[in-house]
Amino acid sequence: MRKIDVIKSGSIYSPIGPSGTLRRIQQNLDFFISKKIDIKIFTKESFGNHSLNSFQNTEKSNSIIYNGKEFIKSVTPKSKILSILHIMRMIFMSRRLIRKYNSLERKTDIIVFHDYFVFQEFLSTNKSYNSKLVLFFHNDGQKFELIYSTYPKIRGTFFAKWMESKFDKSILKASKLVFISQNALNTFLNLNPYFNNPNKYSFFPNGIEKESNSNPISLEHLDDFFQFKYRLCSVGSFSERKGQLKIIEALKEVDPSKLSQIGILFIGEGPDFVSSKELVSRYKLSKHVFFEGIIPNDKIPSYLKKSNIFILMSSNEGLPISIIEAMRESLPIIGTSISGVTELVQDGYNGNLIEPEALELTELLNKIEHFNWIEMGKNSKTRFLEKYTFERMMENYASMILSV
C-alpha cells in the first residue's frame, strides 16, 4: 500500500477548482484503496480550522466588516504594496500549514502539492526528506501568470523576480509535475526547455461527477432574470482576469432590440465586485444584470439549470471547472480563445470562442439569434461525458501516483 499525503493551502470547502478536486478525492477514498493507494488530505481544516460557514451565502450587505473587506479587495489589485502584502500573506499561510504538517512527522511515500507556495515552503523547511514530491499546476503553464493577471502591479517588481528565481530552482526538485491542461503543459515546456524529461511531467484534465447530487433550490427571487429568452450565467471571482467588467461594457453597446432578449446572472464576489455593480448602475443595465454573490458549490447547478448559455470572459485560465460544470448541465459556452478554454470549447460545436475583448462580445451578442444554442448545449453534455468526468480523472490520478 502506497502512502500518499495531499496538501493544499486554504480550505477544502473553497469554491475554487483544486479544492473541489480534493473534496471528490476525499469522497472516493475506497477507490484509491482498491488501487493500493492510501491517501490522506491536509488543508487548514486538518488542524482545527473548520471553514464551511465561510463559503455560505449570508446577508452581509449591511455589515461594516464585510464592506470593509470588500473595499480592501477592490483596492488591492490597484496598489503595488497591497498586492505584494497580499501575496506575502499567502506565503505566510502556506508556511504555517507546512509547519503544522511537519510537526506530525509523517512517513509517506509521496507528497502531492496542489499549489506552488505550499510546495516551496515544504522545500524551505525540509532540507532532507525521503518522500517523492508531486506538484500540480492549475494554471496556463506560465509561472505566476494567474497572480500577475489578478494583481498586475506585481509584474516586473523585485518581489516578482524573487518569486521567479525561487520557482526555477524549486521545480527541479519535484519528482513529477502534473498539468490539468495540454496547452498549459505545452506552454510550460516551451518556456522551460531544460525540463525535458518526459518521465517528470504528465497531463490529465479536471473532472467532476457525471450528475450533480445537489437538491434543487427555489430561485423565485430571480423571476425577472428567467423571463429573458437568452439567460447568460457567469460564475467566478470578480477580477480583471475573469472579465466581468468586459461583459458589462459589451452589454452596454448591444443593439437595443437584441438587448431586450438578454439577461446576465453573475455568481461570485471579488476585487471587481463593487465596481461591476457601480458600472451596471451607471449604464442603466440593472434590468438586465443580476448579482447573486457567493453561492455554495452544491447550489450552483440550480442556477445553471435555469440558464441557457454560460459565459466566461477570462484573459487567463488553466482548465476552468466552471465551464465543465456548465457543460454537465448541457449549456453552450461563450468563452475566450485562451489556454485550457480552447480544450473545453470547440468553436461552433459546443459554443463560441472569441478574444477577451468587449467589442468581440458585443458583436457576438448582436447576432445571438443566429446560433443554434440548443444543439451546442447538447454537444457540451456529450463532450463532458467523453472527457471530463471525475471517474476518468480518478483513474488518471491513480495511474499518475503509481507511476511516480
Side-chain angles (χ1 to χ4, degrees):
M1 185 74 69
R2 306 195 80 180
K3 293 187 177 298
I4 314 299
D5 284 352
V6 179
I7 311 178
K8 181 197 168 297
S9 64
S11 172
I12 198 171
Y13 300 115
S14 168
I16 63 174
S19 294
T21 294
L22 297 196
R23 288 195 299 273
R24 294 179 184 98
I25 291 174
Q26 187 74 54
Q27 294 162 3
N28 290 274
L29 293 179
D30 288 346
F31 166 83
F32 291 97
I33 290 294
S34 73
K35 301 285 186 178
K36 301 190 181 307
I37 298 172
D38 182 12
I39 291 183
K40 175 71 174 175
I41 295 174
F42 294 89
T43 62
K44 70 178 186 179
E45 285 81 19
S46 306
F47 303 97
N49 295 312
H50 299 286
S51 307
L52 178 60
N53 291 336
S54 300
F55 300 97
Q56 306 302 312
N57 194 33
T58 57
E59 294 294 330
K60 305 170 289 189
S61 57
N62 295 322
S63 164
I64 294 176
I65 295 176
Y66 168 74
N67 290 332
K69 287 182 177 179
E70 287 304 302
F71 174 75
I72 293 173
K73 286 180 184 178
S74 68
V75 299
T76 295
K78 302 177 179 66
S79 164
K80 182 189 298 184
I81 293 177
L82 289 178
S83 295
I84 291 175
L85 288 174
H86 176 75
I87 303 305
M88 289 179 66
R89 180 179 180 274
M90 291 172 59
I91 295 172
F92 171 78
M93 298 299 286
S94 297
R95 181 175 303 162
R96 188 163 71 174
L97 176 66
I98 284 298
R99 284 178 175 171
K100 290 179 178 179
Y101 173 78
N102 288 342
S103 71
L104 301 177
E105 298 183 348
R106 288 179 59 79
K107 307 298 182 184
T108 186
D109 298 304
I110 300 172
I111 306 176
V112 180
F113 299 89
H114 275 269
D115 64 66
Y116 166 75
F117 288 135
V118 175
F119 172 72
Q120 175 59 55
E121 290 306 312
F122 176 86
L123 293 176
S124 297
T125 57
N126 293 273
K127 299 308 179 185
S128 63
Y129 48 87
N130 295 319
S131 305
K132 294 182 178 180
L133 309 182
V134 173
L135 175 61
F136 268 77
F137 280 77
H138 294 273
N139 60 14
D140 70 344
Q142 301 181 74
K143 53 188 174 186
F144 304 120
E145 187 59 31
L146 279 180
I147 289 177
Y148 297 154
S149 58
T150 303
Y151 302 98
K153 295 293 184 179
I154 294 178
R155 194 189 300 273
T157 63
F158 285 111
F159 180 73
K161 293 175 181 177
W162 170 77
M163 287 197 305
E164 291 172 9
S165 66
K166 291 179 74 70
F167 175 92
D168 290 337
K169 296 174 183 177
S170 62
I171 60 169
L172 294 174
K173 298 179 181 180
S175 300
K176 179 158 286 193
L177 305 182
V178 183
F179 296 82
I180 60 171
S181 157
Q182 182 65 59
N183 286 337
L185 172 57
N186 295 341
T187 297
F188 176 86
L189 294 177
N190 287 336
L191 294 175
N192 303 278
Y194 59 86
F195 207 92
N196 55 8
N197 182 349
N199 294 321
K200 295 198 69 174
Y201 57 80
S202 64
F203 149 73
F204 56 86
N206 277 331
I208 59 175
E209 299 85 352
K210 288 183 180 178
E211 299 292 341
S212 167
N213 53 16
S214 61
N215 295 322
I217 60 174
S218 173
L219 299 175
E220 293 179 0
H221 63 290
L222 288 173
D223 282 347
D224 287 346
F225 170 67
F226 299 141
Q227 71 173 327
F228 289 102
K229 179 178 180 180
Y230 301 106
R231 300 179 300 281
L232 282 66
C233 182
S234 183
V235 180
S237 175
F238 275 71
S239 64
E240 181 179 348
R241 178 173 72 87
K242 291 289 186 178
Q244 288 91 348
L245 287 171
K246 291 176 182 176
I247 296 175
I248 297 167
E249 293 284 359
L251 203 62
K252 171 180 175 286
E253 302 300 329
V254 172
D255 184 277
S257 65
K258 304 296 189 300
L259 182 61
S260 65
Q261 304 179 77
I262 299 172
I264 295 184
L265 173 64
F266 288 116
I267 295 176
E269 294 182 2
D272 283 353
F273 185 64
V274 173
S275 56
S276 294
K277 296 180 80 170
E278 291 173 348
L279 194 63
V280 166
S281 178
R282 188 189 317 158
Y283 290 163
K284 297 179 171 56
L285 291 171
S286 299
K287 292 183 178 180
H288 297 270
V289 181
F290 302 80
F291 296 91
E292 195 66 356
I294 295 177
I295 300 298
N297 275 60
D298 63 345
K299 302 294 190 294
I300 288 177
S302 293
Y303 292 84
L304 296 175
K305 291 177 191 296
K306 290 285 189 177
S307 306
N308 53 22
I309 299 172
F310 186 82
I311 180 169
L312 190 66
M313 284 291 288
S314 295
S315 58
N316 185 280
E317 287 286 353
L319 193 79
I321 284 285
S322 62
I323 289 183
I324 297 176
E325 290 175 333
M327 291 168 63
R328 178 178 63 185
E329 302 302 333
S330 300
L331 292 187
I333 313 298
I334 298 175
T336 47
S337 300
I338 59 165
S339 194
V341 176
T342 61
E343 296 172 41
L344 295 170
V345 183
Q346 182 179 334
D347 191 37
Y349 174 72
N350 68 316
N352 288 286
L353 293 173
I354 58 177
E355 293 302 313
E357 302 294 339
L359 178 59
E360 291 212 13
L361 179 57
T362 297
E363 293 174 351
L364 188 151
L365 295 178
N366 275 332
K367 54 183 180 181
I368 193 168
E369 74 278 8
H370 295 166
F371 301 100
N372 189 338
W373 298 106
I374 294 176
E375 184 65 24
M376 287 195 291
K378 293 178 181 177
N379 293 338
S380 273
K381 183 63 177 257
T382 299
R383 195 172 181 84
F384 162 72
L385 291 173
E386 288 175 349
K387 296 186 175 184
Y388 302 110
T389 65
F390 188 66
E391 288 83 354
R392 181 184 291 269
M393 184 181 183
M394 273 198 306
E395 292 286 354
N396 288 330
Y397 205 106
S399 296
M400 179 275 294
I401 291 294
L402 295 173
S403 73
V404 176

